[in-house]
Amino acid sequence: MAFSLTAPFYDLIYQHRNIAREVFFITKHIHARLPNVKNVSLLDIGSGTGVHAVLFGKQNFKVTGVDRSAEMIAIAKQKAHSQNIPIHFIHKDFLKFASSPHYDVITSLFDVASYMTTNEQVRAFFTNVSSLLHKNGLLIFDCWYGPGVLLSRPKIIKQRYKGNGFTIHRKKTPTISYQTNTVSVHHNLTIYGGAHNHHTLEETHVMRYFFYPELENYLQQAGLKIIEWGNIGFPLRPPKNPPWSTYIIAQKIR
Ligand SMILES: C[S@@+](CC[C@H](N)C(=O)[O-])C[C@H]1O[C@@H](n2cnc3c(N)ncnc32)[C@H](O)[C@@H]1O
């Protein structure tokens, strides 16, 4: 499964993302949209190694993280524990996740929604989100954005990441399906140096790209209304040129 083998290298590979900036803006949106909610409860879907969850915990939100990768959850638990941030991490496929406490905010960041590749999965994802939100609660997520993906055209990408005593060479090979609106990205990682010298890991990540009107429709069917979209900021800024990935803020209206 995606993120089983590569979990130990995830934080190294994605260390240049500015998560603090992203959490800063999302926190501003939460306070602006839910000014009367004290002790905000937040569910982070696809919480991964806990990078967002820990920072949301530092904002004094009551945070739960759910992720289907046991390896990612283990790293997240360790991260929160070492920083003494109380977060409840749950190892579960979100499509099978049920919870009696409901949430003021649900986040799902770094394209987790794009891992829902079929129409049934997309419907189930947003329906479950809606069933877990309080009325007027917020869904804040990002996903691959069709116009950006199609105009940039997925290409083979080779990257290197320097760890402590080892280097990772990563090659990503995409195959696009114009029928299912997905890109199947084959990840090949070879580690040079250290304990895993010359070890190769392979994973395939199938990602769905979405168009605004279909997202609007899926969300509407689930009782959610898009209130802002675009690049991260305060407010979100509708893009001039189509980005690869876009943020959406939706509110539960029924
Ligand atoms: C690109 S990572 C993002 C992790 C984290 N949100 C971040 O920003 O670093 C995608 C995560 O979504 C999780 N994921 C994908 N589909 C899922 C599902 N159906 N239920 C729960 N987690 C899922 C993966 O296991 C992985 O940890």
Side-chain angles (χ1 to χ4, degrees):
M1 191 204 283
F3 301 105
S4 293
L5 298 172
T6 54
F9 306 108
Y10 184 88
D11 284 344
L12 171 66
I13 289 173
Y14 295 109
Q15 66 182 313
H16 297 300
R17 286 189 297 159
N18 194 340
I19 305 287
R21 178 173 178 271
E22 195 183 10
V23 167
F24 169 79
F25 282 123
I26 291 173
T27 301
K28 271 188 93 158
H29 282 283
I30 293 171
H31 289 313
R33 295 275 175 191
L34 303 175
N36 299 321
V37 178
K38 307 277 173 260
N39 305 317
V40 170
S41 56
L42 183 151
L43 173 69
D44 189 32
I45 304 169
S47 47
T49 59
V51 283
H52 295 96
V54 165
L55 292 183
F56 284 132
K58 289 183 180 172
Q59 299 295 327
N60 292 325
F61 296 155
K62 190 168 172 283
V63 182
T64 302
V66 58
D67 200 289
R68 69 177 175 188
S69 161
E71 294 80 2
M72 299 290 263
I73 284 283
I75 295 169
K77 281 185 176 168
Q78 171 58 30
K79 191 174 284 159
H81 180 73
S82 68
Q83 297 183 46
N84 211 11
I85 310 287
I87 298 172
H88 186 204
F89 284 109
I90 300 167
H91 173 216
K92 190 106 190 153
D93 184 331
F94 176 67
L95 300 182
K96 297 178 186 146
F97 177 77
S99 155
S100 45
H102 284 195
Y103 300 91
D104 301 307
V105 179
I106 295 184
T107 53
S108 192
L109 299 164
F110 206 25
D111 307 316
V112 176
S114 284
Y115 285 85
M116 311 305 127
T117 53
T118 65
N119 292 349
E120 290 70 27
Q121 287 169 351
V122 177
R123 261 193 293 272
F125 183 85
F126 290 123
T127 303
N128 205 20
V129 164
S130 185
S131 74
L132 293 167
L133 274 177
H134 290 304
K135 177 101 192 286
N136 296 324
L138 300 175
L139 166 65
I140 304 176
F141 73 104
D142 58 353
C143 61
W144 281 22
Y145 182 55
V149 171
L150 295 178
L151 286 172
S152 316
R153 303 183 73 105
K155 299 174 185 67
I156 291 179
I157 298 177
K158 292 181 182 176
Q159 292 147 314
R160 289 182 186 197
Y161 305 95
K162 199 139 187 50
N164 195 2
F166 64 93
T167 305
I168 299 170
H169 292 204
R170 180 170 76 159
K171 183 178 177 192
K172 292 195 288 183
T173 310
T175 309
I176 194 160
S177 163
Y178 297 108
Q179 182 177 351
T180 57
N181 289 1
T182 57
V183 185
S184 174
V185 187
H186 182 77
H187 292 225
N188 178 299
L189 281 76
T190 304
I191 300 148
Y192 295 98
H196 304 285
N197 197 15
H198 289 280
H199 197 63
T200 294
L201 311 173
E202 312 217 31
E203 277 184 356
T204 299
H205 296 221
V206 183
M207 309 294 293
R208 171 135 175 199
Y209 50 88
F210 293 99
F211 295 85
Y212 186 95
E214 65 168 337
L215 279 175
E216 192 176 42
N217 193 36
Y218 280 119
L219 287 160
Q220 202 172 45
Q221 303 268 322
L224 298 157
K225 182 176 168 33
I226 297 179
I227 48 179
E228 281 185 47
W229 78 290
N231 296 326
I232 196 72
F234 185 84
L236 296 186
R237 287 167 286 113
K240 291 199 184 75
N241 296 308
W244 190 281
S245 178
T246 190
Y247 289 84
I248 304 270
I249 302 180
Q251 190 153 31
K252 175 162 167 152
I253 50 167
R254 61 173 162 77

